[in-house]
Amino acid sequence: MSTDFNFYDMWKDLYSHSSKLFDEKISNEFPSQGMGQILEMNLQFKKMIDESTLKYLEFMNVPSRNDIANISSLIVNVDAKVDDLEERLEERLDNQGDQELFKSELSNLKKDMKNLDNKLNQILTLVKSPEKTK
């Protein structure tokens, strides 16, 4: 059984019915109540069209606006996490660079201390040697 479902014909029928209803309600004593009913009917029609569009997109395996918005928010979250990881990595590399600098300064300090120790030993030997000669 094949059913042809034409949105244009449905919209055309809705338009004709709503215009008749509009004309009837405007001629009544309470046009605001009629306008409210017309707006409610239009909102129900829009809701039906939105739901059928979502079902169609799902059936055709095409992402909807909500699906794309969800994916974009996930991408933003992943991007923020990658930025955070980059900052942590840079801090760690900076700390390693500081450690390398500290190690080189420490080795230079050790060399200087050895040189000073050697010089001090030479001075002590020179100071002690004149005493022995006397």
Side-chain angles (χ1 to χ4, degrees):
M1 178 163 65
S2 165
T3 59
D4 290 333
F5 191 72
N6 192 345
F7 281 112
Y8 178 73
D9 289 337
M10 191 169 78
W11 178 79
K12 188 176 170 184
D13 290 339
L14 177 73
Y15 179 76
S16 65
H17 289 300
S18 64
S19 87
K20 287 178 188 176
L21 182 65
F22 183 75
D23 291 339
E24 289 173 7
K25 293 299 177 177
I26 291 295
S27 64
N28 285 347
E29 296 177 294
F30 302 105
S32 62
Q33 182 183 6
M35 290 298 291
Q37 289 176 350
I38 289 172
L39 287 175
E40 184 179 332
M41 191 170 59
N42 285 337
L43 287 175
Q44 288 175 352
F45 180 70
K46 182 185 180 312
K47 183 180 176 184
M48 183 184 68
I49 293 292
D50 289 345
E51 289 173 356
S52 62
T53 303
L54 285 175
K55 287 180 183 178
Y56 174 76
L57 290 174
E58 183 180 337
F59 177 73
M60 295 302 289
N61 202 17
V62 176
S64 67
R65 183 178 294 177
N66 291 337
D67 295 335
I68 293 173
N70 289 338
I71 289 173
S72 66
S73 69
L74 291 174
I75 289 172
V76 167
N77 290 341
V78 167
D79 189 37
K81 289 179 182 180
V82 167
D83 289 343
D84 186 41
L85 287 173
E86 283 179 344
E87 287 178 12
R88 288 183 183 180
L89 182 63
E90 287 175 0
E91 287 176 4
R92 186 167 269 176
L93 290 176
D94 288 344
N95 288 342
Q96 286 178 353
D98 292 343
Q99 289 176 357
E100 296 288 330
L101 181 64
F102 178 74
K103 287 180 182 178
S104 66
E105 288 180 0
L106 186 62
S107 64
N108 289 339
L109 185 62
K110 286 180 182 178
K111 288 178 188 176
D112 290 344
M113 288 300 290
K114 285 181 183 178
N115 287 337
L116 286 174
D117 191 41
N118 289 338
K119 287 181 182 178
L120 186 61
N121 285 338
Q122 287 175 357
I123 291 174
L124 284 175
T125 54
L126 288 175
V127 168
K128 288 181 181 180
S129 66
E131 288 178 4
K132 291 182 180 179
T133 55
K134 287 183 181 178

